[in-house]
Amino acid sequence: MQFLLLCALGLALCGPSVGQNLSVNPNWREPSTSRSLAQRIAISQDAINLMMQQLDASNGQFANIGYWQAGNVWSVMAIQDELTSTQANKAAVVNNLDLVFGLFSNYDQFGCGNVPFIFNDDALWWATAAMYGSKAYNSTQLLSNAIATWTSVSRFQITQAEAQSGSHPLKSFPIEATCDGVTMAGGVFWRPTSEDTSVNSITTGLFMTLSAYLAEQTKDPKYTDAAVQSANWIKAHNLNTNSIVLDTVSAADCSRSPSTWIFTYNSGKFIEGLSVLANITADNQWNNLMLSVIASAVENTAWQGSNGIVTEGSDNSQNNDGIGFKAVYIRGLREAFRRTPHNAQLRTLLRGYINVQYNALLELAANGSFYSAGWAGPQPSKFTSWGQLAALDVLTAAVEVN
Ligand SMILES: *[C@@H]1O[C@H](CO)[C@@H](O)[C@H](O)[C@H]1NC(C)=O
Ligand SMILES: *[C@@H]1O[C@H](CO)[C@@H](O)[C@H](O)[C@H]1NC(C)=O
Ligand SMILES: *[C@@H]1O[C@H](CO)[C@@H](O)[C@H](O)[C@H]1NC(C)=O
Ligand SMILES: *[C@@H]1O[C@H](CO)[C@@H](O)[C@H](O)[C@H]1NC(C)=O
């Protein structure tokens, strides 16, 4: 505990061999699969094809899930093509990500009637989808959509100078220079609206991760700097003593979200960003931090049963954000797998954990090619867009990690 706390604070103790426990938990249900690559690809593509029946071609959205969740459908479709080296989903992904960029400037969804509905994380979910698309299809158009959105949101990443001056040009209230003695620089405001004070882990983690991908793609050091700043903010402000990522800090008064706000996607997005940042900088501190978060996350009883099956957002009766969270979490673990061919023990752990979710979906929670929002089952009696969304990342991740 003490040691992890010191690590979380980034003190010098965290050398290269931190010694996180990366063993596969013997209580986990079925950490392996015997399905062939061709079978796994067919299973995930079939699930994508069923989801596509929910598409509203006029606006790039899917029936019965929200804007941010729809962005995540395009993400997983691009990833499926990238890792199978196919273009089965290319036309749909490229055309719809471009369509939505045209409808909403910088992927910022303005207004829903008269209600302002503006979130930096929403813009970043879609920019991230464009980033995956640009990687999958070498699309300069999608890359430029991602960069334009990054540039717009980057105004909301607190700079060192803004923190020191106690004000932000786009916010109507004084901001704290530090919280708990650590600079607020690097944090990203959740909403662009001038009165909203929240700086949260998902917006900062999305920005960090997109920055790391852009650094990799463009080699422009401004993206690496932005990623490092955001990684430092989460590390310093928003990890609990167990290395699980917490939710929100107010820039106005340093008040915090309850410590019980433990959501998979905060840790999952941070893991994804750290895996890319460690990979492009070869700075081992990010790798070590990633290992600590992973080791803790895969054992976190706040969101899974003792059999290892993730239970967050398991409601088949209506959509909720938590259903989308766990998909983002599994995606982050998949990226960590991709970036660490040198760490066999970690890869065995990630493969085992992802297979637990995969086997649960296929054996306990499937009805043909559609899936329950509850991965531990029972089988769904009818299709839901949110259950399908959540399943897609697991099905694709299982293609890659086995
Ligand atoms: C490491 O984790 C495994 C699996 O959860 C557990 O069985 C084992 O006791 C742990 N080892 C230590 C040293 O904590
Ligand atoms: C990707 O696109 C760029 C610019 O359009 C081109 O120069 C490059 O050769 C392409 N790379 C691949 C792998 O197709
Ligand atoms: C970066 O990731 C690639 C796999 O995607 C891997 O081959 C390479 O060793 C990694 N480099 C570092 C420094 O982690
Ligand atoms: C599977 O879905 C069909 C509708 O597509 C439904 O009629 C059937 O009852 C479902 N099976 C289970 C086990 O719920």
Side-chain angles (χ1 to χ4, degrees), residues 74-79 81-82 86-87 89-90 93-95 97-98 107 125-148 210 212-218 338:
W74 300 121
S75 285
V76 72
M77 288 172 65
I79 290 167
D81 275 350
E82 182 191 27
T86 57
Q87 305 211 324
N89 305 301
K90 179 179 178 181
V93 171
V94 172
N95 294 341
L97 286 173
D98 237 9
Y107 288 128
W125 289 115
W126 283 82
T128 302
M131 187 73 227
Y132 296 132
S134 88
K135 276 153 41 71
Y137 311 119
N138 192 30
S139 161
T140 49
Q141 181 57 49
L142 291 184
L143 181 61
S144 89
N145 295 352
I147 288 175
L210 179 60
Y213 284 125
L214 286 172
E216 180 175 50
Q217 198 83 8
T218 67
R338 181 180 296 187

Side-chain angles (χ1 to χ4, degrees), residues 7 14-15 42 54 85 87 109 119 158 170 180 206 233 238 249 311 319 324 339 351 367 373 383:
C7 276
C14 309
Q54 305 300 312
S85 300
Q87 305 211 324
Q109 192 193 26
F119 295 91
I158 300 170
L170 299 166
D180 298 323
L206 277 160
W233 185 86
N238 245 5
V249 178
T311 51
N319 181 32
R339 302 282 170 165
R351 182 185 300 118
N367 181 340
F383 175 94

Side-chain angles (χ1 to χ4, degrees), residues 169-231:
L170 299 166
K171 294 290 175 178
S172 60
F173 51 90
I175 65 171
E176 297 277 3
T178 63
C179 289
D180 298 323
V182 183
T183 179
M184 285 292 280
V188 183
F189 283 102
W190 176 42
R191 303 193 66 175
T193 40
S194 66
E195 73 287 357
D196 199 284
T197 63
S198 293
V199 177
N200 69 4
S201 287
I202 197 58
T203 312
T204 305
L206 277 160
F207 188 72
M208 165 198 168
T209 306
L210 179 60
S211 298
Y213 284 125
L214 286 172
E216 180 175 50
Q217 198 83 8
T218 67
K219 314 292 178 219
D220 186 332
K222 80 177 175 194
Y223 298 117
T224 318
D225 292 346
V228 167
Q229 294 250 332
S230 280

